[in-house]
Amino acid sequence: MADIVDIAVGNDAFKTLVTAVQVAGLVETLKSPGPFTVFAPNDEAFAKLPPGTIQTLVQNIPQLTRILKYHVVSGKLTKDDLAKLGTVTSVEGSTIKIDCSEGFEIKNATVLAADIDADNGVIHVIDTVILPG
């Protein structure tokens, strides 16, 4: 089975995310055994950011890394697992609110595709880049 990075690289909807992970130096981490739960913004989610945001983040690696780590949780957590928890702590260290009462939302993002199984975890595709704080 493919790992989290291989799945993202193999999907054209994650070009911006893959580039950001490469620039931030997180490829090896996300290829490690984990397991990890990744809330993966698709390219349309990155396109919602204000103009120039992505370029600014690429020039500020610590901030980019912090934002990317906010999209990752230790452990393999399916939608059902997350629904029971209500909140999780990202590897960045901040809490993320989970709401499965009407659909499936992670903080202010809607999950477009849940429970994509990877060798080292699970991916949930989201429609918005989530930010700590």
Side-chain angles (χ1 to χ4, degrees):
M1 183 182 305
D3 64 34
I4 290 167
V5 173
D6 293 340
I7 290 171
V9 167
N11 187 321
D12 285 343
F14 296 118
K15 288 181 180 180
T16 307
L17 178 61
V18 168
T19 300
V21 167
Q22 291 169 336
V23 168
L26 295 174
V27 172
E28 288 307 310
T29 301
L30 292 175
K31 286 185 84 60
S32 72
F36 301 106
T37 298
V38 176
F39 304 117
N42 61 16
D43 288 346
E44 290 177 14
F46 281 101
K48 289 183 186 178
L49 293 171
T53 302
I54 295 169
Q55 291 77 11
T56 300
L57 289 173
V58 167
Q59 295 169 358
N60 185 342
I61 303 303
Q63 184 179 10
L64 175 63
T65 302
R66 180 174 180 235
I67 290 169
L68 291 173
K69 286 183 173 181
Y70 185 64
H71 289 78
V72 181
V73 175
S74 292
K76 185 174 184 175
L77 302 170
T78 65
K79 176 184 178 183
D80 290 341
D81 297 329
L82 292 165
K84 292 174 193 165
L85 294 171
T87 60
V88 291
T89 301
S90 72
V91 297
E92 178 270 338
S94 299
T95 302
I96 303 170
K97 186 177 183 293
I98 311 296
D99 184 357
C100 293
S101 60
E102 295 179 26
F104 184 16
E105 293 189 355
I106 307 298
K107 194 168 181 179
N108 59 330
T110 298
V111 176
L112 302 172
D115 298 339
I116 300 170
D117 205 26
D119 186 48
N120 61 343
V122 64
I123 300 170
H124 304 288
V125 181
I126 57 176
D127 71 346
T128 304
V129 176
I130 57 175
L131 301 173

